[in-house]
Amino acid sequence: YELDATLEGLVLVLQNEDRPGVIGAVGTILGKRQINVARMQVGLDQGQAFALWNIDQQIPDDAMKELRALPHVRSVLLVKL
């Protein structure tokens, strides 16, 4: 995947199928919990997407479970850099 991303702070790393609605579903889950997205970058390769979401605060465990349960999402990881 090729993308231009800022690797600092809290970064939500997602791998998913490149399908409509995935970005919106992730944003909705974060927005319901008042988690601000500072920036987001997406790289695509053969129908797959790799996204880095720079966020301003920790994601609760229940939200991580909800993200992992989304259709077309393959993996979700929260990294602190």
Side-chain angles (χ1 to χ4, degrees):
Y1 302 96
E2 187 174 327
L3 53 110
D4 183 19
T6 301
L7 300 176
E8 64 184 20
L10 285 172
V11 181
L12 180 64
V13 181
L14 273 93
Q15 185 179 21
N16 59 275
E17 296 173 30
D18 182 23
R19 297 286 190 107
V22 175
I23 290 172
V26 171
T28 297
I29 291 169
L30 298 177
K32 283 191 312 189
R33 290 165 176 85
Q34 300 297 305
I35 297 171
N36 185 55
V37 176
R39 73 180 50 85
M40 183 193 77
Q41 296 295 322
V42 178
L44 301 174
D45 185 41
Q46 299 181 13
Q48 298 298 310
F50 185 80
L52 299 176
W53 299 65
N54 295 82
I55 56 175
D56 292 345
Q57 65 193 63
Q58 188 70 31
I59 299 175
D61 290 339
D62 67 318
M64 290 294 287
K65 288 179 186 175
E66 195 174 346
L67 290 167
R68 289 184 177 114
L70 286 172
H72 311 296
V73 170
R74 294 178 170 250
S75 66
V76 179
L77 179 66
L78 184 61
V79 180
K80 183 176 182 178
L81 301 170

